[in-house]
């Protein structure tokens, strides 16, 4: 294993911050509401193995994943002890593995339900499912207008058991009035099914934004994703939660640049005066997006330094003219804190004209950008 001191580019993950955030969410929702930890996309780029293990130690009630490899890794870590909900629709060839390993499917269509019914009957099992209602996302799920009739039909399948109904809000962080409307549609379906004699044990709807901003949507369980990793949509909540992830690299070269010199591919940056430019050991192949060219800032010696010129595959160039004593090997922070200054994933997302989810998930997960775990839970 390469010592950390040799890393050119890396991510640090604070597992104590994860424990802190889970406790903060628990305080928000109270003891009666369950907590599903959303760990899809390699735990939003933080590393599913270590994050999943820590969340099991924290005693979360369930996990949410987006593919079979994530679900099977959680099974490998924690055995059969935790419910795992597979978001989205299963592909036909995934059904047998899901039934074998007790991975809870999301049912969005009767045809999908019949595939699980057939596999469950073949294995002599009864499979618990969650049924998704589409109240406005337009992605997967039964359209709310027709959901009652279809769910009642689904309930007649002998080898399936409806354990939960859920919906997903498309704009809980932007439009509370629309979110309230969608919640009302969802609860109307729950009530209609109850009147038909079908009482559902669990209903859930709240993502991170709704968990914070919309208490009435917490229902029986919440499904925080970004919030659990310490990223808040609103600054007013930021002090309560702690970001887990820092993204760092090192300075490999420093040179003086005269006025009129150009920097990087396409020569999109021209020095207007004498400058000192540092070459940093990360680029778009590591997850520092090319869209950050001539826009982003990084931390060097606790000071913000602008990225100049186009981001290249393996390196970026940074203006360190105003930062004294910069030398080869110095640490550079893309996301995180350094000497009392900080840059958030949300800030990077603003420069990149995207969202914090994409910034975190876009950091390369190969040996180029190893994950280093800090805190009491780190192995």
């Amino acid at each position: 294993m390469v010592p950390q001191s040799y890393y050119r580019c890396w991510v640090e993950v604070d597992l104590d911050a994860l424990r802190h955030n889970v406790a903060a969410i628990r305080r928000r929702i109270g003891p009666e509401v369950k907590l599903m930890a959303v760990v899809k996309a390699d735990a939003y780029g933080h590393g599913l193995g270590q994050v999943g293990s820590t969340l099991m130690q924290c005693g979360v009630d369930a996990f949410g994943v987006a593919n079979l490899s994530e679900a099977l890794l959680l099974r490998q870590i924690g055995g059969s002890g935790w419910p795992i909900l597979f978001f989205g629709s299963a592909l036909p060839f995934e059904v047998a593995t899901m039934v074998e390993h007790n991975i809870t499917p999301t049912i969005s269509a009767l045809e999908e339900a019949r595939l699980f019914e057939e596999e469950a009957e073949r294995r002599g099992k009864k499979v618990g499912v969650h049924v998704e209602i589409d109240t406005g996302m337009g992605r997967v799920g039964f359209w709310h207008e027709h959901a009652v009739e279809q769910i009642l039909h689904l309930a007649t399948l002998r080898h399936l058991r409806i354990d939960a109904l859920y919906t997903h809000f498309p704009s809980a962080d932007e439009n509370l009035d629309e979110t309230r409307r969608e919640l009302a549609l969802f609860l109307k379906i729950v009530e209609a099914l109850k009147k038909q004699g079908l009482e559902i044990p669990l209903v859930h709807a709240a993502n991170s934004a709704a968990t914070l901003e919309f208490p009435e949507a917490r229902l029986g369980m919440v499904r925080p994703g970004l919030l659990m990793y310490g990223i808040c949509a609103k600054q007013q909540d930021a002090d309560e939660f702690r970001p887990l992830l820092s993204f760092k690299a090192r300075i490999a070269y420093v040179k003086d640049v005269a006025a009129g010199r150009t920097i990087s591919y396409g020569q999109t940056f021209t020095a207007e005066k004498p400058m000192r430019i540092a070459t940093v050991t990360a680029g778009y192949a590591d997850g520092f997006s090319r869209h950050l060219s001539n826009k982003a800032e990084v931390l060097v010696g606790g000071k913000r330094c602008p990225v100049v010129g186009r981001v290249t595959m393996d390196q970026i160039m940074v203006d360190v003219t105003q930062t004294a004593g910069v030398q080869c090997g110095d640490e550079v922070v893309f996301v995180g804190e350094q000497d009392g200054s900080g840059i958030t994933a949300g800030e990077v997302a603003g420069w990149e004209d995207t969202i914090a989810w994409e910034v975190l998930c876009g950091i390369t997960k190969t040996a180029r950008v190893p994950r280093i775990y800090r805190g009491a839970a780190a192995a």
Side-chain angles (χ1 to χ4, degrees), residues 85-285:
L85 176 62
F86 188 106
F87 292 128
S89 295
L91 298 170
F93 57 81
E94 296 174 319
V95 171
T97 302
M98 291 176 66
V99 173
E100 178 184 357
H101 293 278
N102 296 318
I103 298 162
T104 304
T106 290
I107 299 298
S108 298
L110 290 176
E111 294 82 1
E112 184 180 21
R114 292 188 186 99
L115 290 176
F116 281 97
E117 166 74 6
E118 292 168 4
E119 183 63 27
E121 182 177 14
R122 189 178 71 81
R123 293 176 179 269
K125 299 177 68 171
K126 193 146 190 171
V127 172
V129 304
H130 289 211
V131 178
E132 183 167 4
I133 312 300
D134 193 333
T135 55
M137 184 67 182
R139 188 167 59 182
V140 295
F142 293 101
W143 284 114
H144 62 89
E145 295 92 340
H146 313 293
V148 172
E149 176 185 354
Q150 291 172 315
I151 293 169
L152 288 172
H153 184 80
L154 193 159
T156 65
L157 299 177
R158 295 190 307 113
H159 293 86
L160 298 189
R161 180 185 66 250
I162 302 175
D163 288 339
L165 297 183
Y166 76 96
T167 192
H168 184 63
F169 299 132
S171 53
D173 55 343
E174 299 172 343
N175 191 334
L176 279 182
D177 288 340
E178 171 62 15
T179 304
R180 289 189 182 95
R181 186 189 74 84
E182 292 172 11
L183 179 63
L185 290 172
F186 177 63
L187 294 178
K188 183 178 179 181
I189 292 167
V190 175
E191 188 60 29
L193 290 170
K194 186 176 181 179
K195 288 180 179 178
Q196 293 287 335
L198 182 59
E199 191 153 0
I200 307 299
L202 177 67
V203 294
H204 52 100
N207 54 11
S208 289
T211 297
L212 286 179
E213 305 293 333
F214 200 23
E216 56 264 53
R218 292 172 186 164
L219 305 175
M221 184 165 68
V222 297
R223 309 187 307 263
L226 203 63
L227 180 63
M228 198 170 59
Y229 305 104
I231 311 296
C232 302
K234 295 186 178 179
Q235 186 59 38
Q236 67 196 42
D237 300 309
D239 290 342
E240 188 177 354
F241 297 89
R242 290 163 41 187
L244 278 62
L245 183 144
S246 299
F247 184 18
K248 302 180 179 182
R250 297 193 186 277
I251 289 174
Y253 184 73
V254 184
K255 71 191 306 179
D256 294 317
V257 173
R261 296 280 192 184
T262 58
I263 303 294
S264 196
Y265 292 121
Q267 300 175 301
T268 60
F269 180 86
T270 302
E272 296 180 352
K273 56 185 179 181
M275 303 175 71
R276 194 155 174 78
I277 300 296
T279 299
V280 180
T281 56
Y284 60 76

Side-chain angles (χ1 to χ4, degrees), residues 45-68:
H46 293 69
L48 178 56
Q50 286 278 7
V51 167
S53 178
T54 303
L55 289 169
M56 289 173 186
Q57 295 169 29
C58 291
V60 299
D61 299 291
F63 289 94
V65 302
N67 61 47
L68 265 180

